[in-house]
Amino acid sequence: MKRIGVLTSGGDAPGMNAAIRSIVRCALHEKLEVVGVLRGYDGLINEEIRTMDHASVSNIINRGGTILKTARSAEFMTREGRKRAMDVIRKNKIDGLVLIGGDGTYRGGIALTEEFEIPCIGVPCTIDNDLNGTEATIGSDTAVNTALEAIDKIRDTATSMERIFVVEVMGRESGFIAMQVAVGGGAEDVLIPERKFDVEEMCHDIVEGNIRGKISWIIIVAEGAAKGEAIARQITDFTSLETRVVVLGHVQRGGSPTAQDRILAARLGAEAVGLLLKGESGKAVGVVSDEINIVDFEFAVRKKILETDKIYNLMKILT
Ligand code: ATP
């Protein structure tokens, strides 16, 4: 292995830059050449490739987003697109790839390694924390903290104005961010795709609480469970109490990564380079109980089971 490529793909997440930095500098330390591929798989197809040196990743450890840009590539979903990508890989003498992204990015890696002889290693980087084989994905801790900061501010106005706030958070099909911020932010309830929920029952609780003198509520809704707007309407219709909606949206993707995400990015980036050097392929790196854990791409992309009973019950006790 002489020359490796690195790309970021799918939705951007805080810590992608820290991961790029780790991969580039660990590879250079091992006397490998490194190229950065711009705009994910689209950049491979269109040969948007640039040489990375030590200085090319200076001063990015603290920056959100990705200096390599990211994209969702429809062309790479086709065999013809992947063939074009492979031609570019061969032309540029790339011996192995590190793919930074989420489950879609890993599925791209599966397709590429099944069809062609190119070693690929995945680094989990998505705010959704929905990959198997790792307790945390790079970016998820920052996204939780960003959402929490916003919820703290919403709490100030919720208590002052005596209102119900429904806060919709990101996470695609995963309720991870929602559950974390509900517990961390002291929310009254949380609606996530992993748990059956009964909005009417929640409304009964609100009415009862209101009779007891409770004046404000924060209800977290995961985007994969319901639309915040629809839940707020149901609450107002049922309780006649004023309900406001906040959709946190893309602010959760941005910002400087937390210490946890930077350290995870440093560790997992190093591990990915090490695996390529060992001749491995089709694997994803991760951490379990703070130890490095390596799984096949196929396992990593299987639906992650989020255990929520205990933590949900605790959240309800604490409200
Ligand atoms: P996030 O979940 O954070 O948005 P992601 O990596 O899951 O990140 P996706 O948009 O799902 O983001 O996937 C990124 C890209 O991976 C897609 O745009 C596509 O080019 C490629 N990809 C996804 N699935 C496949 C597949 N089955 N075969 C080939 N390529 C794929």
Side-chain angles (χ1 to χ4, degrees):
M1 179 120 353
K2 280 197 180 139
R3 174 180 250 239
I4 66 165
V6 55
L7 60 80
T8 49
S9 157
D12 60 296
M16 278 186 160
N17 280 327
I20 296 166
R21 173 179 179 269
S22 172
I23 291 155
V24 169
R25 291 198 170 161
C26 287
L28 294 174
H29 179 76
E30 298 292 346
K31 308 278 181 266
L32 292 169
E33 290 171 15
V34 195
V35 293
V37 181
L38 301 184
R39 296 179 183 81
Y41 292 126
D42 267 349
L44 260 189
I45 293 169
N46 300 321
E47 203 174 358
E48 290 188 89
I49 287 173
R50 68 174 194 212
T51 302
M52 307 292 282
D53 60 15
H54 199 274
S56 64
V57 290
S58 293
N59 297 317
I60 64 166
I61 193 165
N62 55 333
R63 279 168 55 191
T66 159
I67 58 162
L68 292 178
K69 313 285 183 204
T70 183
R72 301 191 198 274
S73 170
E75 206 177 345
F76 196 78
M77 302 286 283
T78 66
R79 166 130 185 135
E80 189 47 39
R82 292 192 293 276
K83 194 184 163 302
R84 280 185 61 194
M86 194 59 213
D87 290 344
V88 171
I89 290 169
R90 287 199 188 102
K91 186 177 158 203
N92 285 272
K93 298 191 167 39
I94 297 170
D95 304 314
L97 280 174
V98 182
L99 312 171
I100 305 172
D103 64 321
T105 301
Y106 284 7
R107 282 181 217 281
I110 292 172
L112 198 61
T113 48
E114 271 175 4
E115 291 162 5
F116 304 101
E117 286 281 307
I118 176 76
C120 291
I121 300 294
V123 173
C125 202
T126 163
I127 63 166
D128 307 334
N129 200 12
D130 58 353
L131 289 168
N132 267 305
T134 189
E135 283 168 351
T137 56
I138 300 161
S140 57
D141 185 59
T142 307
V144 165
N145 280 293
T146 302
L148 205 51
E149 217 174 285
I151 287 159
D152 286 348
K153 291 183 172 129
I154 291 164
R155 175 176 292 284
D156 291 344
T157 175
T159 49
S160 305
M161 297 292 287
E162 310 190 346
R163 271 180 185 151
I164 302 170
F165 270 86
V166 171
V167 185
E168 184 185 309
V169 300
M170 279 184 159
R172 282 185 150 189
E173 295 306 308
S174 165
F176 173 79
I177 294 177
M179 198 68 234
Q180 295 282 107
V181 298
V183 178
E188 272 68 25
D189 217 332
V190 58
L191 310 186
I192 53 173
E194 292 85 352
R195 288 184 68 83
K196 274 200 177 138
F197 52 85
D198 184 337
V199 180
E200 254 189 40
E201 200 180 303
M202 185 173 75
C203 291
H204 273 296
D205 287 350
I206 293 173
V207 171
E208 274 178 25
N210 190 239
I211 291 165
R212 287 198 313 271
K214 190 168 169 59
I215 51 165
S216 70
W217 283 262
I218 294 178
I219 315 284
I220 309 294
V221 178
E223 66 175 347
K227 284 262 172 245
E229 195 72 53
I231 299 296
R233 214 174 310 119
Q234 272 179 275
I235 295 173
T236 305
D237 289 349
F238 193 97
T239 65
S240 303
L241 294 169
E242 202 170 339
T243 311
R244 290 277 194 268
V245 192
V246 179
V247 180
L248 289 186
H250 284 80
V251 290
Q252 292 159 100
R253 282 197 187 283
S256 187
T258 57
Q260 184 180 307
D261 280 335
R262 296 181 200 194
I263 294 160
L264 191 60
R267 291 177 70 194
L268 297 185
E271 202 59 35
V273 172
L275 285 180
L276 278 181
L277 278 170
K278 277 190 214 153
E280 296 279 3
S281 179
K283 310 263 186 220
V285 293
V287 276
V288 173
S289 303
D290 207 35
E291 297 288 333
I292 295 290
N293 191 47
I294 295 153
V295 296
D296 291 337
F297 276 149
E298 283 82 358
F299 178 75
V301 301
R302 261 188 238 157
K303 190 156 178 54
K304 192 174 191 172
I305 312 287
L306 190 64
E307 293 296 341
T308 56
D309 284 357
K310 258 189 172 173
I311 196 75
Y312 181 84
N313 292 338
L314 176 60
M315 182 206 70
K316 291 304 281 180
I317 289 168
L318 297 179
T319 56

